[in-house]
Amino acid sequence: MKFNKTILGICLIAIFIGLTGLVVAEWEHEEDDDDRGHFRRWLGGSKPVIEKVESPLYQAECGSCHIAYQPGLLPAQSWQQMMANLEDHFGENAELPVEESSKILNYLLTNAAERVKYGLPRRISTSLGGNPAPLRITQTRFFLHEHEEIPGKMVLNNEQVRSLSNCDACHTKANEGSFREHEVRIPGYGRWDD
């Protein structure tokens, strides 16, 4: 009888450890597109792939010309370089009053890729691997890897998209911080699935 209780105890511990590992794996891979998210939902929901933009000033100033890219899409060094050169912001003058520029920079640095320890920012930060920080999100190794299979005709030659930097043209929930593959709809082509 004592032997059976020991075996039962060992089995219960093994099941507990296995379930704990599964839950941890769920959180580690929250940006995956499969349907394994039931444990996260059961435990009170999951974190977003990346936090949506929470700064009304940043949203108004930067989001007036293009999507207000989530700060976690680039490392702090990239944001610093970008904000220091607003007079030539990818060929445009995007200068701001010093006070506004300072508030936006603070927001970007506080939420930059290496400062967020989960989801997409963590993966972007890790993909940099000590290389110089790029000025464009589309130049990060992570971004290039995720978009390498998309034919140019679907993006670059697509009048409704025209650039890989036009995230919200295909990522239907980009403004909410979700870049999950199953939410991608390429204009003129429909759902993307590699």
Side-chain angles (χ1 to χ4, degrees):
M1 196 60 139
K2 184 176 183 180
F3 179 73
N4 288 339
K5 286 182 181 179
T6 302
I7 291 177
L8 179 62
I10 291 171
C11 288
L12 288 174
I13 289 171
I15 290 170
F16 176 77
I17 291 171
L19 287 175
T20 302
L22 185 59
V23 170
V24 169
E26 288 285 327
W27 276 318
E28 286 296 310
H29 300 287
E30 68 228 355
E31 58 276 329
D32 288 349
D33 287 317
D34 57 23
D35 293 322
R36 297 179 306 162
H38 54 278
F39 282 110
R40 286 191 313 277
R41 287 188 294 279
W42 179 65
L43 293 171
S46 64
K47 292 181 178 178
V49 174
I50 190 168
E51 293 294 332
K52 68 180 187 174
V53 171
E54 297 290 338
S55 167
L57 177 62
Y58 174 67
Q59 180 70 48
E61 291 297 338
C62 301
S64 64
C65 295
H66 52 71
I67 181 176
Y69 298 105
Q70 288 83 2
L73 292 173
L74 282 173
Q77 184 181 0
S78 299
W79 292 120
Q80 285 175 320
Q81 291 174 13
M82 195 176 308
M83 293 299 291
N85 297 302
L86 289 178
E87 68 279 355
D88 184 15
H89 183 67
F90 305 106
E92 300 290 327
N93 184 342
E95 287 181 286
L96 295 168
V98 175
E99 185 178 328
E100 289 181 7
S101 179
S102 178
K103 286 179 182 177
I104 290 173
L105 178 59
N106 184 51
Y107 169 70
L108 294 170
L109 296 180
T110 300
N111 297 285
E114 69 272 25
R115 306 233 164 91
V116 180
K117 303 298 181 197
Y118 68 89
L120 194 52
R122 180 181 50 83
R123 293 176 76 189
I124 289 170
S125 184
T126 301
S127 82
L128 296 174
N131 293 319
L135 282 180
R136 296 176 185 268
I137 294 161
T138 57
Q139 294 172 333
T140 63
R141 279 184 29 208
F142 176 80
F143 183 95
L144 293 169
H145 170 75
E146 290 297 308
H147 294 82
E148 68 186 354
E149 295 179 9
I150 302 173
K153 68 178 183 175
M154 292 182 154
V155 177
L156 305 176
N157 300 332
N158 185 336
E159 286 297 315
Q160 297 175 38
V161 182
R162 290 186 267 182
S163 171
L164 287 171
S165 64
N166 191 8
C167 304
D168 55 343
C170 301
H171 290 274
T172 60
K173 296 187 177 183
N175 287 318
E176 298 170 33
S178 181
F179 292 89
R180 290 181 172 95
E181 191 173 295
H182 69 272
E183 297 165 350
V184 172
R185 303 289 181 275
I186 300 176
Y189 293 91
R191 186 178 185 281
W192 171 256
D193 189 13
D194 65 353

